[in-house]
Amino acid sequence: MKHNDRHALKQKQSLVSAYLSRGKAICCVLLLSASLISISTAYAEEVNTKDISAKEVIPKKTYPVDPESGLIMAPGWEVVNYQCNACHTSMIIPQNSGTKEVWRETIQWMVDTQGLWDLSETWDPVLDYLSTNYGEVKMDMEKFRRLPLDPTLLPPPPKEGR
């Protein structure tokens, strides 16, 4: 084989190799695109089947958590931290949740029975903070354990002596 023939053969082999590599790359891109389309279609169908409102889809602004108090550092957290820590640790606040009315009843109980002072002009900021950041939590029953069975649906208790 002559030098020119070998050189031409190497060029052809390089071209074939380049075309094959491009073909593989194009196949990979097409497969990846098809996978992404099917995943996003499946996700869109899942979202549609759960009837999620636009309000739930839009992410809430997140705030850091104060390492000392354990409170979310959203507007109003300093007032809550100051007032709650006067009697108890603020670490118990994240363990509770409730609507504005639930928080109002809880704080009013503290005023009536535990010696908490009247919150006067800080009622609204405190209730806004608590209900916004530690609001009522609904349990997703598709992810968590079912509710307890109705007692009428339970089997009879075992007879004594068995």
Side-chain angles (χ1 to χ4, degrees), residues 137-147:
V137 179
K138 293 184 181 179
M139 186 179 292
D140 182 352
M141 296 310 290
E142 291 181 16
K143 291 182 182 177
F144 298 102
R145 191 179 191 292
R146 62 170 171 71
L147 293 173

Side-chain angles (χ1 to χ4, degrees), residues 11-21:
Q11 281 183 328
K12 286 180 186 177
Q13 287 174 339
S14 293
L15 283 173
V16 169
S17 179
Y19 284 122
L20 288 175
S21 294

Side-chain angles (χ1 to χ4, degrees), residues 60-64 72:
K60 272 180 34 175
K61 183 173 181 180
T62 57
Y63 296 95
I72 297 170

